[in-house]
Amino acid sequence: MEPKRIRRFSPLDRMFHLALMLTFILQSATGFGRLFITTPWGQGLCRVFGGYDNALVVHQWVGVVMIWGFLAHIGFLLARIQWKRLPESVFGGDSLVPNAQDLKRFGQQVRWFLGKGGPPRHDRWTYWEKFDYWAVFWGMPLLAVTGLMLMHPIASSRYVEGWVLNVAALLHRAEAILAVTYIFVVHFFIGHLRPTSFPMNEAMFSGTVTLKHAVEEKPEWVARLEGEGRLHDAAAAPPASWYRTLYFIFGYLVLCTGIYLLASAIAYSRHIQLH
Amino acid sequence: MRQGTQTKWPAVVPIAMPLLVMLLFLSGKAAGQEEVASAARRYKAYEESTGYYEQFEVLPGRRQAVRRIPGVGQEPFAYSPTAALVRSRTHLADSHQSLKFYENLRCEYCHPDQARDLHTVRANLTCRQCHGGEPIASMDHYYSLMNPIRRHAYVCAKCHEGASASFASYVIHAPAAGSRLARQTFPVLYYAYWFMLALLVGTLAFFIPHSFLVGLRELLPPRTKEET
């Protein structure tokens, strides 16, 4: 008998995602509060964290947690690679590394948009899910390095010229705005708000998807699991209903906060400049 | 990446523990204020930057990212660069010497472009906290506080303890990052700005229509197998 639900994310993956959600929303709130401090909105936002100076302290500590989380994430990635079947493990269907298949599927996707041919048969990760992952992955070191420089400007000006701090500050702010816009518009929409996923894509919270959903969205993945005889190992129990309620409330709280932050930032953007 | 059917927690713990312990120490005090052991670094951070090496006066390195082109961008005084060199008050002990009504006007009135920096707008400093009392010397006057020889010690270190000459090359009145003026005077900032803007616009220009189309296509009836 085929399982009803299969496993998509390990508890560790979900823990990282949850930690990223929490730290990201905190960084957005404190960061925007400081960036917009000359406007009443920014002042209100900073007041939540105890004022302009305290918001910075929160921002720095949360940033440090993010950096360690990122390093830990890399450690776990390295531990997860199966070195014995190396090319397969890094470029195969279970890996998030982009490969030639993604280009092909993107081509099929465009044809599907135009009404020619059916939707591409996605494997475990669609190309936009991979982009989601790598966008954050590359954004993190940039924000981390520039953030640490601004956190210790005097120490870092020993190694680089002081005017690099001007550039670091600009990059930090610009990359933050890029990340926030991308996450709160594209990631939220394609992850949770588009018709198939609405009202919420629960995979990242429950860790599982129904087999029916997986067959519709990721047929190649299910086929591969079946082919390798792993479909039964992947069977999983549905989430408890109290847990489901919990993550629905939590998820929507974060989502609304994010959209509120972005919308207000856009509304007030005329009044600030990117020092 | 292996499918995470079973996570071996015990193997994970030895990696996570040291990280958590180190976490406690990362945001400690900056190293900028401690005594420096290396002679080479000490020379760079202190002797060279004070302008004195033993009893000799030395010229500090020119660290400026900014190429100052007098007259450019200061619209009311926009002379040609050559004329600006002659006419503008670049080497005076009192740069406002004999300017009419100087005493009655606020700095921002005559220097609007200098009133937009982070220190003024967000940290609420007054111009005089950096530029000092009367007379305010021209930037290039040898004894000006702003001479790179002593700027870090006489200006920045008032608030930024341990400021070095390198630190003081941070551009306080940076031009607006995307402006033509920035391209002329601070190219790195200019190109960083336009690069990031292109990245933002490029990513959104691709992914917003893409997401929208995915959503739209899902609303339309799916095609049957035979059709495809």
Side-chain angles (χ1 to χ4, degrees), chain B residues 142-160:
Chain B
Y142 185 81
Y143 291 108
S144 164
L145 288 181
M146 293 296 173
N147 185 330
I149 289 182
R150 63 183 77 85
R151 181 188 297 173
H152 60 291
Y154 281 73
V155 184
C156 312
K158 278 198 282 190
C159 304
H160 300 282

Side-chain angles (χ1 to χ4, degrees), chain B residues 168-228:
Chain B
S169 73
Y170 171 81
V171 185
I172 301 281
H173 305 295
S179 62
R180 217 179 73 235
L181 182 64
R183 193 173 70 192
Q184 287 164 337
T185 60
F186 199 165
V188 186
L189 193 71
Y190 175 83
Y191 289 111
Y193 175 85
W194 285 105
F195 174 77
M196 291 310 287
L197 193 68
L199 202 63
L200 174 70
V201 171
T203 313
L204 294 185
F206 179 81
F207 275 102
I208 289 182
H210 176 271
S211 317
F212 179 73
L213 283 174
V214 173
L216 189 72
R217 202 65 185 75
E218 281 169 359
L219 284 179
L220 302 179
R223 304 183 146 227
T224 56
K225 276 269 153 29
E226 295 83 68
E227 268 181 283
T228 56

Side-chain angles (χ1 to χ4, degrees), chain B residues 89-191:
Chain B
R89 311 162 148 251
T90 51
H91 289 79
L92 300 183
D94 178 2
S95 54
H96 301 106
Q97 190 179 31
S98 71
L99 277 182
K100 295 273 184 325
F101 307 117
Y102 168 68
E103 292 79 5
N104 308 326
L105 294 169
R106 298 173 59 81
C107 313
E108 292 85 341
Y109 182 82
C110 298
H111 300 291
D113 291 345
Q114 274 76 24
R116 282 198 279 264
D117 60 302
L118 173 147
H119 282 87
T120 307
V121 174
R122 294 216 239 138
N124 281 332
L125 301 197
T126 63
C127 311
R128 290 208 186 273
Q129 278 178 283
C130 288
H131 287 283
E134 289 303 316
I136 296 172
S138 295
M139 252 349 81
D140 292 335
H141 187 264
Y142 185 81
Y143 291 108
S144 164
L145 288 181
M146 293 296 173
N147 185 330
I149 289 182
R150 63 183 77 85
R151 181 188 297 173
H152 60 291
Y154 281 73
V155 184
C156 312
K158 278 198 282 190
C159 304
H160 300 282
E161 197 184 336
S164 63
S166 161
F167 176 74
S169 73
Y170 171 81
V171 185
I172 301 281
H173 305 295
S179 62
R180 217 179 73 235
L181 182 64
R183 193 173 70 192
Q184 287 164 337
T185 60
F186 199 165
V188 186
L189 193 71
Y190 175 83
Y191 289 111

Side-chain angles (χ1 to χ4, degrees), chain A residues 3-266:
Chain A
K4 267 211 160 62
R5 264 180 180 275
I6 55 175
R7 181 86 162 261
R8 184 158 166 78
F9 294 107
S10 73
L12 199 67
D13 294 336
R14 289 186 273 150
M15 205 191 73
F16 272 124
H17 184 262
L18 182 70
L20 188 61
M21 275 173 87
L22 286 173
T23 50
F24 192 87
I25 206 82
L26 272 175
Q27 293 299 69
S28 317
T30 49
F32 272 165
R34 284 182 59 90
L35 184 61
F36 286 83
I37 192 66
T38 47
T39 67
W41 176 62
Q43 285 156 10
L45 215 55
C46 275
R47 214 169 294 131
V48 176
F49 298 94
Y52 188 65
D53 293 331
N54 273 331
L56 181 62
V57 175
V58 175
H59 195 81
Q60 291 178 337
W61 274 100
V62 175
V64 168
V65 171
M66 277 179 120
I67 292 174
W68 285 115
F70 182 66
L71 294 180
H73 179 73
I74 291 181
F76 290 125
L77 278 191
L78 292 179
R80 256 195 209 184
I81 296 179
Q82 292 164 301
W83 298 99
K84 291 211 184 85
R85 359 176 257 119
L86 197 55
E88 176 42 30
S89 165
V90 174
F91 294 104
D94 279 332
S95 162
L96 277 162
V97 179
N99 53 31
Q101 289 290 313
D102 292 320
L103 269 182
K104 216 182 88 198
R105 295 208 178 99
F106 173 63
Q108 291 168 344
Q109 181 92 352
V110 172
R111 259 175 282 135
W112 177 56
F113 286 158
L114 301 174
K116 302 191 181 110
R121 287 172 57 81
H122 289 294
D123 203 324
R124 184 162 174 187
W125 314 111
T126 63
Y127 59 86
W128 66 81
E129 284 165 348
K130 289 186 181 182
F131 188 89
D132 268 6
Y133 177 81
W134 289 106
V136 178
F137 196 95
W138 295 126
M140 289 283 262
L142 178 58
L143 287 170
V145 170
T146 52
L148 283 174
M149 283 176 69
L150 293 173
M151 195 161 151
H152 299 302
I154 297 196
S156 53
S157 70
R158 284 183 173 199
Y159 305 103
V160 294
E161 297 300 330
W163 56 262
V164 177
L165 292 172
N166 287 80
V167 183
L170 178 83
L171 288 179
H172 194 83
R173 280 149 206 168
E175 172 64 35
I177 289 170
L178 174 60
V180 162
T181 327
Y182 182 81
I183 296 292
F184 296 163
V185 175
V186 178
H187 183 68
F188 280 180
F189 180 80
I190 205 138
H192 303 295
L193 300 181
R194 77 196 155 100
T196 326
S197 311
F198 194 79
M200 181 189 231
N201 186 337
E202 300 173 45
M204 192 39 112
F205 297 95
S206 66
T208 59
V209 286
T210 59
L211 190 65
K212 186 167 153 291
H213 180 84
V215 170
E216 276 168 15
E217 286 260 290
K218 317 259 155 66
E220 199 65 36
W221 178 36
V222 180
R224 196 161 48 79
L225 283 180
E226 251 175 344
E228 295 170 11
R230 289 199 286 140
L231 194 58
H232 277 277
D233 299 341
S241 62
W242 64 266
Y243 179 55
R244 230 177 141 223
T245 323
L246 193 72
Y247 65 59
F248 255 90
I249 296 176
F250 173 74
Y252 264 88
L253 262 177
V254 174
L255 193 135
C256 293
T257 315
I259 290 176
Y260 162 74
L261 286 176
L262 184 66
S264 318
I266 292 173

